[in-house]
Amino acid sequence: MQSTGYKVNEMFETIQGEGHFTGVPAVFIRLQICQVGCSWCDTKQTWQAEATDQRSFGEIIVKQGDSPTWTQASAQEIVAMYQQQGYSARHIVITGGEPCEYDLSDLCHAFEAMGCVCQIETSGTSEVRVSDATWVTLSPKIAMKGKKQVLVSALQRADEIKHPVATQHHIDQLDQLISDIVLKPDVVMALQPISQKPRATQLCIDTCIERNWRLSVQTHKYLSIA
């Protein structure tokens, strides 16, 4: 667990492209470091935090494209950068990497004090430390290369369980994972195709209809936006 500030890979304003808040204007704060090791990860540049990749916040805020560069910043410095950039979105998405490598309480409280709403996107493999009001989106990563277990406490805290699916095996894994766990009574259950391949998408559609769950489509990939 990281304890001194936050290692920020990038920060930008866009539209939330997936899950419960699809279509909502949002500021994304992507944090560096992840030990999960998902084979299909599209942000592998965030896995490590090499000292040679450290930059100023000014360089990070303007960078284009994926890179492993990062900056060290406190909650107050991140909020100050949000204000300096003149962002209008009041929905803050803290992602990664694996954001729960950090205690996120200070960062969430700092944004909430400004009237913003915070959401985190986590694998559930690290303890979730956020404000009570933070919306926790958990995409359980099961049997990944990093061999980290999805925590029961993270599943119980989740407001939304958004599960990546390519085959029936992934749905079976989810069923097994939550079979003996008491989730929040109003938790949003969503299936998200790992790829844009028709077979995976149709499997998710059929299962969501059968179970009255929600389909999460990565609309940002179809729209070619960040």
Side-chain angles (χ1 to χ4, degrees):
M1 174 89 51
Q2 303 294 310
S3 58
T4 307
Y6 305 94
K7 292 179 171 60
V8 181
N9 176 275
E10 59 180 338
M11 181 173 172
F12 57 92
E13 190 171 46
T14 185
I15 297 291
Q16 171 61 283
E18 61 189 51
H20 180 72
F21 293 101
T22 295
V24 174
V27 171
F28 275 71
I29 301 169
R30 188 178 304 284
L31 301 181
Q32 201 79 4
I33 299 179
C34 183
Q35 302 176 54
V36 180
C38 302
S39 60
W40 65 82
C41 178
D42 57 4
T43 57
K44 291 182 179 180
Q45 72 276 6
T46 65
W47 287 9
Q48 306 293 328
E50 302 293 344
T52 53
D53 288 324
Q54 186 170 3
R55 301 289 187 273
S56 70
F57 210 156
E59 291 173 282
I60 293 300
I61 202 71
V62 298
K63 76 175 182 179
Q64 302 292 320
D66 297 336
S67 79
T69 55
W70 56 275
T71 194
Q72 189 83 20
S74 67
Q76 292 71 29
E77 288 169 332
I78 294 171
V79 167
M81 181 59 75
Y82 168 97
Q83 295 171 318
Q84 180 181 320
Q85 293 300 113
Y87 293 142
S88 58
R90 311 299 283 180
H91 187 79
I92 310 299
V93 181
I94 306 169
T95 186
E98 172 46 69
C100 289
E101 289 279 350
Y102 302 83
D103 183 338
L104 300 170
S105 301
D106 287 349
L107 186 56
C108 293
H109 286 304
F111 274 109
E112 288 167 2
M114 297 174 54
C116 293
V117 175
C118 292
Q119 173 191 6
I120 68 164
E121 298 180 336
T122 178
S123 65
T125 58
S126 295
E127 184 180 354
V128 177
R129 297 188 179 187
V130 295
S131 68
D132 291 342
T134 296
W135 179 276
V136 176
T137 298
L138 193 156
S139 293
K141 303 303 189 293
I142 306 167
M144 295 293 117
K145 183 178 179 181
K147 298 182 179 180
K148 292 175 69 69
Q149 299 297 312
V150 178
L151 303 181
V152 171
S153 61
L155 288 163
Q156 292 173 329
R157 175 61 180 85
D159 297 288
E160 172 184 15
I161 295 177
K162 178 166 59 68
H163 191 53
V165 171
T167 67
Q168 180 63 43
H169 174 65
H170 295 120
I171 297 173
D172 295 341
Q173 283 183 317
L174 176 62
D175 287 340
Q176 182 176 7
L177 180 68
I178 65 175
S179 61
D180 298 321
I181 298 174
V182 178
L183 304 173
K184 285 188 175 182
D186 56 352
V187 65
V188 175
M189 296 296 298
L191 299 182
Q192 180 168 291
I194 288 176
S195 68
Q196 294 168 288
K197 293 181 179 179
R199 182 178 178 181
T201 301
Q202 191 61 52
L203 174 60
C204 289
I205 290 172
D206 293 342
T207 306
C208 287
I209 291 173
E210 176 186 339
R211 303 186 181 193
N212 201 31
W213 286 0
R214 184 175 298 191
L215 178 70
S216 174
V217 178
Q218 292 180 298
T219 58
H220 53 288
K221 291 187 176 180
Y222 289 92
L223 297 172
S224 299
I225 60 175

mmCIF file of all heavy atoms in Angstrom, residues 64-110:
data_model
loop_
_atom_site.group_PDB
_atom_site.id
_atom_site.type_symbol
_atom_site.label_atom_id
_atom_site.label_comp_id
_atom_site.label_asym_id
_atom_site.label_seq_id
_atom_site.Cartn_x
_atom_site.Cartn_y
_atom_site.Cartn_z
ATOM 1 N N GLN A 64 0.538 13.424 -24.437
ATOM 2 C CA GLN A 64 -0.353 12.794 -25.401
ATOM 3 C C GLN A 64 0.024 11.324 -25.548
ATOM 4 O O GLN A 64 1.190 10.995 -25.713
ATOM 5 C CB GLN A 64 -0.258 13.493 -26.763
ATOM 6 C CG GLN A 64 -0.591 14.976 -26.737
ATOM 7 C CD GLN A 64 -2.057 15.233 -26.433
ATOM 8 O OE1 GLN A 64 -2.929 14.525 -26.926
ATOM 9 N NE2 GLN A 64 -2.322 16.249 -25.626
ATOM 10 N N GLY A 65 -0.957 10.442 -25.494
ATOM 11 C CA GLY A 65 -0.685 9.027 -25.693
ATOM 12 C C GLY A 65 -0.224 8.329 -24.425
ATOM 13 O O GLY A 65 0.051 8.954 -23.394
ATOM 14 N N ASP A 66 -0.135 7.011 -24.521
ATOM 15 C CA ASP A 66 0.246 6.189 -23.374
ATOM 16 C C ASP A 66 1.754 6.210 -23.160
ATOM 17 O O ASP A 66 2.522 6.066 -24.110
ATOM 18 C CB ASP A 66 -0.206 4.741 -23.589
ATOM 19 C CG ASP A 66 -1.714 4.616 -23.687
ATOM 20 O OD1 ASP A 66 -2.415 5.484 -23.156
ATOM 21 O OD2 ASP A 66 -2.187 3.639 -24.306
ATOM 22 N N SER A 67 2.157 6.369 -21.910
ATOM 23 C CA SER A 67 3.572 6.295 -21.566
ATOM 24 C C SER A 67 3.682 5.978 -20.077
ATOM 25 O O SER A 67 2.745 6.237 -19.314
ATOM 26 C CB SER A 67 4.292 7.610 -21.884
ATOM 27 O OG SER A 67 4.040 8.566 -20.868
ATOM 28 N N PRO A 68 4.810 5.435 -19.637
ATOM 29 C CA PRO A 68 4.973 5.097 -18.218
ATOM 30 C C PRO A 68 5.386 6.272 -17.345
ATOM 31 O O PRO A 68 5.678 6.081 -16.160
ATOM 32 C CB PRO A 68 6.074 4.035 -18.260
ATOM 33 C CG PRO A 68 6.909 4.420 -19.432
ATOM 34 C CD PRO A 68 5.939 4.958 -20.447
ATOM 35 N N THR A 69 5.418 7.479 -17.890
ATOM 36 C CA THR A 69 5.806 8.632 -17.088
ATOM 37 C C THR A 69 4.749 8.947 -16.040
ATOM 38 O O THR A 69 3.555 8.739 -16.252
ATOM 39 C CB THR A 69 6.048 9.864 -17.969
ATOM 40 O OG1 THR A 69 4.885 10.106 -18.774
ATOM 41 C CG2 THR A 69 7.248 9.657 -18.877
ATOM 42 N N TRP A 70 5.189 9.468 -14.897
ATOM 43 C CA TRP A 70 4.285 9.732 -13.783
ATOM 44 C C TRP A 70 4.824 10.895 -12.954
ATOM 45 O O TRP A 70 5.972 11.292 -13.097
ATOM 46 C CB TRP A 70 4.146 8.485 -12.898
ATOM 47 C CG TRP A 70 5.458 7.956 -12.377
ATOM 48 C CD1 TRP A 70 6.307 7.097 -13.014
ATOM 49 C CD2 TRP A 70 6.099 8.291 -11.137
ATOM 50 N NE1 TRP A 70 7.430 6.866 -12.242
ATOM 51 C CE2 TRP A 70 7.324 7.572 -11.086
ATOM 52 C CE3 TRP A 70 5.742 9.096 -10.057
ATOM 53 C CZ2 TRP A 70 8.198 7.666 -9.996
ATOM 54 C CZ3 TRP A 70 6.620 9.194 -8.969
ATOM 55 C CH2 TRP A 70 7.826 8.467 -8.955
ATOM 56 N N THR A 71 3.963 11.422 -12.093
ATOM 57 C CA THR A 71 4.374 12.471 -11.176
ATOM 58 C C THR A 71 3.860 12.156 -9.782
ATOM 59 O O THR A 71 2.837 11.494 -9.627
ATOM 60 C CB THR A 71 3.851 13.849 -11.615
ATOM 61 O OG1 THR A 71 4.534 14.870 -10.893
ATOM 62 C CG2 THR A 71 2.358 13.999 -11.402
ATOM 63 N N GLN A 72 4.584 12.604 -8.778
ATOM 64 C CA GLN A 72 4.155 12.432 -7.385
ATOM 65 C C GLN A 72 3.362 13.661 -6.976
ATOM 66 O O GLN A 72 3.815 14.799 -7.152
ATOM 67 C CB GLN A 72 5.367 12.277 -6.476
ATOM 68 C CG GLN A 72 5.040 11.879 -5.048
ATOM 69 C CD GLN A 72 4.828 10.382 -4.881
ATOM 70 O OE1 GLN A 72 5.262 9.597 -5.721
ATOM 71 N NE2 GLN A 72 4.150 9.996 -3.822
ATOM 72 N N ALA A 73 2.165 13.455 -6.443
ATOM 73 C CA ALA A 73 1.324 14.591 -6.078
ATOM 74 C C ALA A 73 0.461 14.252 -4.870
ATOM 75 O O ALA A 73 0.004 13.125 -4.713
ATOM 76 C CB ALA A 73 0.437 14.999 -7.257
ATOM 77 N N SER A 74 0.223 15.260 -4.034
ATOM 78 C CA SER A 74 -0.680 15.106 -2.891
ATOM 79 C C SER A 74 -2.121 15.315 -3.354
ATOM 80 O O SER A 74 -2.368 15.784 -4.475
ATOM 81 C CB SER A 74 -0.340 16.139 -1.827
ATOM 82 O OG SER A 74 -0.628 17.448 -2.307
ATOM 83 N N ALA A 75 -3.055 15.000 -2.481
ATOM 84 C CA ALA A 75 -4.465 15.234 -2.806
ATOM 85 C C ALA A 75 -4.707 16.705 -3.109
ATOM 86 O O ALA A 75 -5.411 17.055 -4.068
ATOM 87 C CB ALA A 75 -5.341 14.775 -1.637
ATOM 88 N N GLN A 76 -4.097 17.577 -2.321
ATOM 89 C CA GLN A 76 -4.284 19.017 -2.518
ATOM 90 C C GLN A 76 -3.702 19.479 -3.852
ATOM 91 O O GLN A 76 -4.276 20.336 -4.537
ATOM 92 C CB GLN A 76 -3.636 19.786 -1.359
ATOM 93 C CG GLN A 76 -4.335 19.589 -0.011
ATOM 94 C CD GLN A 76 -4.140 18.196 0.581
ATOM 95 O OE1 GLN A 76 -3.111 17.537 0.335
ATOM 96 N NE2 GLN A 76 -5.114 17.743 1.355
ATOM 97 N N GLU A 77 -2.567 18.916 -4.252
ATOM 98 C CA GLU A 77 -1.953 19.285 -5.529
ATOM 99 C C GLU A 77 -2.791 18.795 -6.705
ATOM 100 O O GLU A 77 -2.885 19.469 -7.736
ATOM 101 C CB GLU A 77 -0.537 18.708 -5.605
ATOM 102 C CG GLU A 77 0.442 19.423 -4.686
ATOM 103 C CD GLU A 77 1.771 18.696 -4.557
ATOM 104 O OE1 GLU A 77 1.805 17.456 -4.711
ATOM 105 O OE2 GLU A 77 2.783 19.371 -4.286
ATOM 106 N N ILE A 78 -3.410 17.641 -6.565
ATOM 107 C CA ILE A 78 -4.265 17.120 -7.635
ATOM 108 C C ILE A 78 -5.506 17.991 -7.790
ATOM 109 O O ILE A 78 -5.906 18.341 -8.908
ATOM 110 C CB ILE A 78 -4.638 15.649 -7.359
ATOM 111 C CG1 ILE A 78 -3.391 14.765 -7.434
ATOM 112 C CG2 ILE A 78 -5.697 15.160 -8.357
ATOM 113 C CD1 ILE A 78 -3.607 13.335 -6.976
ATOM 114 N N VAL A 79 -6.116 18.357 -6.682
ATOM 115 C CA VAL A 79 -7.284 19.243 -6.729
ATOM 116 C C VAL A 79 -6.906 20.600 -7.313
ATOM 117 O O VAL A 79 -7.646 21.184 -8.123
ATOM 118 C CB VAL A 79 -7.900 19.400 -5.324
ATOM 119 C CG1 VAL A 79 -8.902 20.546 -5.297
ATOM 120 C CG2 VAL A 79 -8.579 18.101 -4.897
ATOM 121 N N ALA A 80 -5.735 21.104 -6.939
ATOM 122 C CA ALA A 80 -5.279 22.389 -7.471
ATOM 123 C C ALA A 80 -5.091 22.322 -8.982
ATOM 124 O O ALA A 80 -5.418 23.274 -9.702
ATOM 125 C CB ALA A 80 -3.978 22.804 -6.784
ATOM 126 N N MET A 81 -4.579 21.188 -9.481
ATOM 127 C CA MET A 81 -4.409 21.032 -10.921
ATOM 128 C C MET A 81 -5.764 20.958 -11.621
ATOM 129 O O MET A 81 -5.942 21.529 -12.709
ATOM 130 C CB MET A 81 -3.585 19.780 -11.219
ATOM 131 C CG MET A 81 -3.318 19.545 -12.709
ATOM 132 S SD MET A 81 -2.423 20.915 -13.517
ATOM 133 C CE MET A 81 -0.755 20.636 -12.888
ATOM 134 N N TYR A 82 -6.717 20.280 -11.013
ATOM 135 C CA TYR A 82 -8.088 20.246 -11.542
ATOM 136 C C TYR A 82 -8.619 21.671 -11.710
ATOM 137 O O TYR A 82 -9.169 22.038 -12.753
ATOM 138 C CB TYR A 82 -8.961 19.437 -10.584
ATOM 139 C CG TYR A 82 -10.450 19.523 -10.822
ATOM 140 C CD1 TYR A 82 -11.117 18.543 -11.551
ATOM 141 C CD2 TYR A 82 -11.199 20.576 -10.297
ATOM 142 C CE1 TYR A 82 -12.498 18.615 -11.756
ATOM 143 C CE2 TYR A 82 -12.575 20.660 -10.499
ATOM 144 C CZ TYR A 82 -13.210 19.682 -11.222
ATOM 145 O OH TYR A 82 -14.573 19.760 -11.425
ATOM 146 N N GLN A 83 -8.427 22.495 -10.699
ATOM 147 C CA GLN A 83 -8.901 23.873 -10.762
ATOM 148 C C GLN A 83 -8.126 24.691 -11.788
ATOM 149 O O GLN A 83 -8.706 25.476 -12.543
ATOM 150 C CB GLN A 83 -8.787 24.512 -9.370
ATOM 151 C CG GLN A 83 -9.693 23.865 -8.333
ATOM 152 C CD GLN A 83 -9.419 24.352 -6.923
ATOM 153 O OE1 GLN A 83 -8.262 24.502 -6.513
ATOM 154 N NE2 GLN A 83 -10.471 24.601 -6.157
ATOM 155 N N GLN A 84 -6.832 24.491 -11.842
ATOM 156 C CA GLN A 84 -5.989 25.224 -12.792
ATOM 157 C C GLN A 84 -6.368 24.915 -14.229
ATOM 158 O O GLN A 84 -6.342 25.807 -15.092
ATOM 159 C CB GLN A 84 -4.521 24.849 -12.554
ATOM 160 C CG GLN A 84 -3.531 25.540 -13.481
ATOM 161 C CD GLN A 84 -2.102 25.104 -13.199
ATOM 162 O OE1 GLN A 84 -1.700 24.937 -12.042
ATOM 163 N NE2 GLN A 84 -1.324 24.896 -14.246
ATOM 164 N N GLN A 85 -6.735 23.666 -14.489
ATOM 165 C CA GLN A 85 -7.109 23.270 -15.851
ATOM 166 C C GLN A 85 -8.493 23.766 -16.244
ATOM 167 O O GLN A 85 -8.859 23.729 -17.417
ATOM 168 C CB GLN A 85 -7.063 21.743 -15.977
ATOM 169 C CG GLN A 85 -5.665 21.136 -15.878
ATOM 170 C CD GLN A 85 -4.741 21.657 -16.959
ATOM 171 O OE1 GLN A 85 -3.778 22.371 -16.690
ATOM 172 N NE2 GLN A 85 -5.029 21.317 -18.208
ATOM 173 N N GLY A 86 -9.271 24.222 -15.277
ATOM 174 C CA GLY A 86 -10.607 24.740 -15.580
ATOM 175 C C GLY A 86 -11.599 23.654 -15.976
ATOM 176 O O GLY A 86 -12.535 23.909 -16.740
ATOM 177 N N TYR A 87 -11.414 22.454 -15.464
ATOM 178 C CA TYR A 87 -12.337 21.369 -15.782
ATOM 179 C C TYR A 87 -13.739 21.707 -15.276
ATOM 180 O O TYR A 87 -13.904 22.296 -14.199
ATOM 181 C CB TYR A 87 -11.883 20.065 -15.131
ATOM 182 C CG TYR A 87 -10.577 19.500 -15.671
ATOM 183 C CD1 TYR A 87 -9.661 18.900 -14.808
ATOM 184 C CD2 TYR A 87 -10.262 19.548 -17.022
ATOM 185 C CE1 TYR A 87 -8.478 18.356 -15.279
ATOM 186 C CE2 TYR A 87 -9.070 19.019 -17.506
ATOM 187 C CZ TYR A 87 -8.180 18.416 -16.627
ATOM 188 O OH TYR A 87 -7.010 17.888 -17.096
ATOM 189 N N SER A 88 -14.751 21.285 -16.026
ATOM 190 C CA SER A 88 -16.135 21.526 -15.614
ATOM 191 C C SER A 88 -16.815 20.259 -15.105
ATOM 192 O O SER A 88 -17.813 20.335 -14.393
ATOM 193 C CB SER A 88 -16.946 22.105 -16.781
ATOM 194 O OG SER A 88 -16.917 21.225 -17.899
ATOM 195 N N ALA A 89 -16.303 19.080 -15.460
ATOM 196 C CA ALA A 89 -16.901 17.823 -15.010
ATOM 197 C C ALA A 89 -16.784 17.698 -13.496
ATOM 198 O O ALA A 89 -15.725 17.965 -12.926
ATOM 199 C CB ALA A 89 -16.233 16.640 -15.698
ATOM 200 N N ARG A 90 -17.862 17.277 -12.862
ATOM 201 C CA ARG A 90 -17.889 17.135 -11.405
ATOM 202 C C ARG A 90 -17.829 15.673 -10.976
ATOM 203 O O ARG A 90 -17.915 15.376 -9.785
ATOM 204 C CB ARG A 90 -19.157 17.781 -10.826
ATOM 205 C CG ARG A 90 -19.433 19.187 -11.320
ATOM 206 C CD ARG A 90 -18.323 20.150 -10.973
ATOM 207 N NE ARG A 90 -18.352 20.562 -9.571
ATOM 208 C CZ ARG A 90 -17.478 21.408 -9.033
ATOM 209 N NH1 ARG A 90 -16.504 21.911 -9.773
ATOM 210 N NH2 ARG A 90 -17.566 21.730 -7.759
ATOM 211 N N HIS A 91 -17.692 14.787 -11.946
ATOM 212 C CA HIS A 91 -17.564 13.352 -11.657
ATOM 213 C C HIS A 91 -16.088 12.981 -11.798
ATOM 214 O O HIS A 91 -15.485 13.171 -12.861
ATOM 215 C CB HIS A 91 -18.415 12.538 -12.639
ATOM 216 C CG HIS A 91 -18.480 11.075 -12.307
ATOM 217 N ND1 HIS A 91 -19.296 10.576 -11.328
ATOM 218 C CD2 HIS A 91 -17.823 10.006 -12.823
ATOM 219 C CE1 HIS A 91 -19.151 9.259 -11.256
ATOM 220 N NE2 HIS A 91 -18.256 8.889 -12.148
ATOM 221 N N ILE A 92 -15.497 12.480 -10.728
ATOM 222 C CA ILE A 92 -14.070 12.166 -10.708
ATOM 223 C C ILE A 92 -13.894 10.650 -10.716
ATOM 224 O O ILE A 92 -14.400 9.960 -9.822
ATOM 225 C CB ILE A 92 -13.387 12.747 -9.454
ATOM 226 C CG1 ILE A 92 -13.731 14.235 -9.280
ATOM 227 C CG2 ILE A 92 -11.881 12.520 -9.520
ATOM 228 C CD1 ILE A 92 -13.288 15.132 -10.410
ATOM 229 N N VAL A 93 -13.192 10.142 -11.710
ATOM 230 C CA VAL A 93 -12.941 8.702 -11.812
ATOM 231 C C VAL A 93 -11.470 8.449 -11.487
ATOM 232 O O VAL A 93 -10.578 8.911 -12.199
ATOM 233 C CB VAL A 93 -13.269 8.166 -13.216
ATOM 234 C CG1 VAL A 93 -13.018 6.657 -13.272
ATOM 235 C CG2 VAL A 93 -14.712 8.471 -13.584
ATOM 236 N N ILE A 94 -11.237 7.713 -10.414
ATOM 237 C CA ILE A 94 -9.874 7.368 -10.009
ATOM 238 C C ILE A 94 -9.628 5.927 -10.435
ATOM 239 O O ILE A 94 -10.307 4.999 -9.992
ATOM 240 C CB ILE A 94 -9.697 7.519 -8.489
ATOM 241 C CG1 ILE A 94 -10.128 8.934 -8.047
ATOM 242 C CG2 ILE A 94 -8.238 7.266 -8.103
ATOM 243 C CD1 ILE A 94 -10.230 9.099 -6.543
ATOM 244 N N THR A 95 -8.666 5.761 -11.328
ATOM 245 C CA THR A 95 -8.439 4.464 -11.950
ATOM 246 C C THR A 95 -6.940 4.183 -11.985
ATOM 247 O O THR A 95 -6.160 4.806 -11.301
ATOM 248 C CB THR A 95 -9.100 4.435 -13.349
ATOM 249 O OG1 THR A 95 -9.013 3.122 -13.908
ATOM 250 C CG2 THR A 95 -8.500 5.464 -14.293
ATOM 251 N N GLY A 96 -6.537 3.204 -12.775
ATOM 252 C CA GLY A 96 -5.121 2.869 -12.787
ATOM 253 C C GLY A 96 -4.711 2.141 -14.045
ATOM 254 O O GLY A 96 -5.379 2.280 -15.071
ATOM 255 N N GLY A 97 -3.656 1.308 -13.922
ATOM 256 C CA GLY A 97 -3.128 0.830 -12.670
ATOM 257 C C GLY A 97 -4.188 0.227 -11.751
ATOM 258 O O GLY A 97 -5.296 -0.047 -12.125
ATOM 259 N N GLU A 98 -3.789 0.044 -10.506
ATOM 260 C CA GLU A 98 -4.720 -0.386 -9.468
ATOM 261 C C GLU A 98 -4.765 0.711 -8.414
ATOM 262 O O GLU A 98 -3.851 0.835 -7.593
ATOM 263 C CB GLU A 98 -4.277 -1.721 -8.860
ATOM 264 C CG GLU A 98 -5.064 -2.153 -7.641
ATOM 265 C CD GLU A 98 -6.559 -2.001 -7.813
ATOM 266 O OE1 GLU A 98 -7.145 -2.751 -8.619
ATOM 267 O OE2 GLU A 98 -7.159 -1.123 -7.150
ATOM 268 N N PRO A 99 -5.826 1.537 -8.445
ATOM 269 C CA PRO A 99 -5.867 2.690 -7.539
ATOM 270 C C PRO A 99 -5.860 2.312 -6.071
ATOM 271 O O PRO A 99 -5.415 3.102 -5.223
ATOM 272 C CB PRO A 99 -7.169 3.398 -7.929
ATOM 273 C CG PRO A 99 -8.000 2.339 -8.582
ATOM 274 C CD PRO A 99 -7.020 1.464 -9.299
ATOM 275 N N CYS A 100 -6.333 1.117 -5.739
ATOM 276 C CA CYS A 100 -6.380 0.729 -4.326
ATOM 277 C C CYS A 100 -5.033 0.258 -3.799
ATOM 278 O O CYS A 100 -4.927 -0.220 -2.663
ATOM 279 C CB CYS A 100 -7.464 -0.314 -4.105
ATOM 280 S SG CYS A 100 -9.122 0.392 -4.270
ATOM 281 N N GLU A 101 -3.977 0.421 -4.592
ATOM 282 C CA GLU A 101 -2.622 0.331 -4.050
ATOM 283 C C GLU A 101 -2.388 1.492 -3.086
ATOM 284 O O GLU A 101 -1.443 1.489 -2.311
ATOM 285 C CB GLU A 101 -1.590 0.384 -5.178
ATOM 286 C CG GLU A 101 -1.531 -0.847 -6.060
ATOM 287 C CD GLU A 101 -0.719 -1.976 -5.440
ATOM 288 O OE1 GLU A 101 -0.041 -1.736 -4.421
ATOM 289 O OE2 GLU A 101 -0.789 -3.102 -5.968
ATOM 290 N N TYR A 102 -3.264 2.500 -3.157
ATOM 291 C CA TYR A 102 -3.151 3.701 -2.333
ATOM 292 C C TYR A 102 -4.344 3.811 -1.386
ATOM 293 O O TYR A 102 -5.428 3.302 -1.685
ATOM 294 C CB TYR A 102 -3.152 4.957 -3.220
ATOM 295 C CG TYR A 102 -2.056 5.004 -4.250
ATOM 296 C CD1 TYR A 102 -2.204 4.334 -5.468
ATOM 297 C CD2 TYR A 102 -0.883 5.718 -4.022
ATOM 298 C CE1 TYR A 102 -1.197 4.377 -6.427
ATOM 299 C CE2 TYR A 102 0.120 5.769 -4.976
ATOM 300 C CZ TYR A 102 -0.040 5.089 -6.179
ATOM 301 O OH TYR A 102 0.944 5.132 -7.119
ATOM 302 N N ASP A 103 -4.155 4.506 -0.294
ATOM 303 C CA ASP A 103 -5.271 4.940 0.540
ATOM 304 C C ASP A 103 -5.854 6.172 -0.149
ATOM 305 O O ASP A 103 -5.212 7.229 -0.216
ATOM 306 C CB ASP A 103 -4.775 5.287 1.949
ATOM 307 C CG ASP A 103 -5.907 5.672 2.894
ATOM 308 O OD1 ASP A 103 -6.984 6.078 2.411
ATOM 309 O OD2 ASP A 103 -5.704 5.568 4.112
ATOM 310 N N LEU A 104 -7.059 6.049 -0.676
ATOM 311 C CA LEU A 104 -7.666 7.096 -1.500
ATOM 312 C C LEU A 104 -8.556 8.044 -0.702
ATOM 313 O O LEU A 104 -9.161 8.946 -1.281
ATOM 314 C CB LEU A 104 -8.491 6.447 -2.618
ATOM 315 C CG LEU A 104 -7.702 5.546 -3.582
ATOM 316 C CD1 LEU A 104 -8.656 4.778 -4.493
ATOM 317 C CD2 LEU A 104 -6.717 6.363 -4.413
ATOM 318 N N SER A 105 -8.626 7.844 0.598
ATOM 319 C CA SER A 105 -9.556 8.627 1.416
ATOM 320 C C SER A 105 -9.320 10.131 1.284
ATOM 321 O O SER A 105 -10.268 10.906 1.060
ATOM 322 C CB SER A 105 -9.447 8.217 2.891
ATOM 323 O OG SER A 105 -9.724 6.840 3.044
ATOM 324 N N ASP A 106 -8.079 10.576 1.420
ATOM 325 C CA ASP A 106 -7.779 12.011 1.352
ATOM 326 C C ASP A 106 -8.167 12.598 0.001
ATOM 327 O O ASP A 106 -8.719 13.701 -0.077
ATOM 328 C CB ASP A 106 -6.292 12.262 1.615
ATOM 329 C CG ASP A 106 -5.911 12.070 3.072
ATOM 330 O OD1 ASP A 106 -6.824 11.955 3.918
ATOM 331 O OD2 ASP A 106 -4.699 12.020 3.373
ATOM 332 N N LEU A 107 -7.867 11.867 -1.070
ATOM 333 C CA LEU A 107 -8.162 12.356 -2.413
ATOM 334 C C LEU A 107 -9.672 12.465 -2.627
ATOM 335 O O LEU A 107 -10.164 13.462 -3.166
ATOM 336 C CB LEU A 107 -7.536 11.426 -3.451
ATOM 337 C CG LEU A 107 -7.623 11.861 -4.915
ATOM 338 C CD1 LEU A 107 -7.012 13.239 -5.116
ATOM 339 C CD2 LEU A 107 -6.925 10.839 -5.816
ATOM 340 N N CYS A 108 -10.408 11.459 -2.186
ATOM 341 C CA CYS A 108 -11.867 11.490 -2.339
ATOM 342 C C CYS A 108 -12.472 12.635 -1.525
ATOM 343 O O CYS A 108 -13.323 13.392 -2.021
ATOM 344 C CB CYS A 108 -12.470 10.157 -1.906
ATOM 345 S SG CYS A 108 -12.030 8.753 -2.962
ATOM 346 N N HIS A 109 -12.040 12.761 -0.280
ATOM 347 C CA HIS A 109 -12.575 13.835 0.565
ATOM 348 C C HIS A 109 -12.251 15.212 -0.006
ATOM 349 O O HIS A 109 -13.083 16.128 0.065
ATOM 350 C CB HIS A 109 -12.014 13.713 1.983
ATOM 351 C CG HIS A 109 -12.609 12.604 2.789
ATOM 352 N ND1 HIS A 109 -13.963 12.480 3.005
ATOM 353 C CD2 HIS A 109 -12.034 11.557 3.443
ATOM 354 C CE1 HIS A 109 -14.201 11.420 3.757
ATOM 355 N NE2 HIS A 109 -13.044 10.835 4.024
ATOM 356 N N ALA A 110 -11.072 15.378 -0.569
ATOM 357 C CA ALA A 110 -10.671 16.674 -1.134
ATOM 358 C C ALA A 110 -11.577 17.073 -2.292
ATOM 359 O O ALA A 110 -11.975 18.243 -2.411
ATOM 360 C CB ALA A 110 -9.215 16.623 -1.584
#
